[in-house]
Each structure stands twice: as structure tokens, then as C-alpha cells.
Amino acid sequence: MTDDITDFPKIGNPARRALAHRGYTRLEQLTALSERELLEIHGVGPKAVGILREALRERGLSFRP
């Protein structure tokens, strides 16, 4: 598995690998998930969710409610 997620903001490697393992390679794909669902992915913690939330907000996007 390659770690070629260049669209994501700077998040920790465990979170980056966990998302890549599940096929999430673009930030926009995360809009299909709620924050709670994202936190249930082993390797993704509150800090990564906060960084991703801010990156989505900068693009006018958000997690699923």
C-alpha cells in the first residue's frame, strides 16, 4: 500500500495510514463520514479530526451530521 495522500492536511501517520487503508485518498471523500464514524477508525483521534474539520471548513465543506 502506498501512502500518496497529498490532498490531506498534515495529520499524524497513524491516521493517514488508517484512512488510506479504507480507501480515503481525498479530503472531499471524508464528507461522507460523520465525526463519530471517523473517530471509530482505529488510528484516527480527536486531534486528526480537528485538523481535518478545519481543512474541510476552509473548502466550504463539512463532515456528515
Side-chain angles (χ1 to χ4, degrees), residues 2-61:
T2 62
D3 188 15
D4 60 353
I5 302 175
T6 58
D7 189 40
F8 283 174
K10 186 69 173 169
I11 58 175
N13 283 331
R16 184 175 295 273
R17 285 190 301 266
L19 292 171
H21 179 72
R22 293 179 188 266
Y24 296 109
T25 58
R26 293 187 341 269
L27 187 61
E28 290 78 14
Q29 292 174 307
L30 298 181
T31 62
L33 299 173
S34 68
E35 288 188 30
R36 183 182 187 130
E37 291 169 325
L38 195 58
L39 285 168
E40 289 175 357
I41 298 173
H42 181 75
V44 179
K47 184 174 180 180
V49 171
I51 293 168
L52 293 167
R53 181 188 318 114
E54 183 58 32
L56 285 171
R57 186 180 351 224
E58 288 174 3
R59 294 184 185 192
L61 303 169

